[in-house]
Amino acid sequence: NLNSARAKARDARRVADVRQIVLALNLAADTAGGSYPSSAGDWRCLGHPETKNNCWGPTPIYSGWAALNNVLLPNLNPIPDDPRNNTACYGDAYLYNSNVPAGALYTGSPAGVYVEWYFENAASGNAACAGGVNVASNSCGSYCELLVGPPTP
């Protein structure tokens, strides 16, 4: 049906967006001598303003961060936003964390820099995760975690 086709198209867009985000993060790390941009120990909504709790869910729990956005903008302008931008669900932005501890995301997950995003077609499983891992599902969809590189405090 048409809604299913639209959801698949948005999921394909998410995969393309995440690939561009990872490329921009790798370019930023190369410029900084191998260190990825810091997220100051928290998940950050890429491209969102630095307003407390302005993204990710019906009661937003994360914020953007200007310093991170400024590092990405030379190589990723504009910074992509989730194509659905569904604020009723957790998944209205792409998330970034530069220092996720080992085992914090799923059993056996390595410590590192991660990008997290939501996708609508839960049946896709890991195939929708662009090399990442499908870690959770709910009524809104599923969530992917992609290891980008070694941790940056």
Side-chain angles (χ1 to χ4, degrees):
N1 75 27
L2 183 59
N3 287 336
S4 176
R6 286 180 177 157
K8 286 180 183 179
R10 286 188 296 267
D11 284 345
R13 163 88 185 276
R14 289 178 180 103
V15 169
D17 285 350
V18 167
R19 287 185 176 138
Q20 291 300 309
I21 289 166
V22 170
L23 179 60
L25 288 167
N26 285 329
L27 288 168
D30 286 346
T31 301
S35 292
Y36 287 89
S38 174
S39 64
D42 201 357
W43 287 97
R44 301 293 180 167
C45 296
L46 297 174
H48 284 240
E50 196 167 336
T51 306
K52 186 169 176 54
N53 299 341
N54 68 350
C55 56
W56 203 259
T59 306
I61 55 176
Y62 298 120
S63 305
W65 199 32
L68 176 59
N69 293 337
N70 290 337
V71 168
L72 293 178
L73 281 170
N75 297 308
L76 188 64
N77 193 356
I79 297 171
D81 203 8
D82 184 83
R84 190 170 182 202
N85 201 6
N86 183 1
T87 56
C89 291
Y90 298 97
D92 63 332
Y94 299 105
L95 292 178
Y96 171 80
N97 191 322
S98 65
N99 195 13
V100 177
L105 300 176
Y106 54 90
T107 302
S109 65
V113 172
Y114 281 85
V115 173
E116 179 178 310
W117 71 99
Y118 152 88
F119 66 98
E120 296 172 68
N121 187 3
S124 299
N126 286 341
C129 288
V133 177
N134 176 2
V135 295
S137 296
N138 62 28
S139 61
C140 293
S142 296
Y143 300 90
C144 296
E145 305 285 350
L146 179 65
L147 176 65
V148 176
T152 299

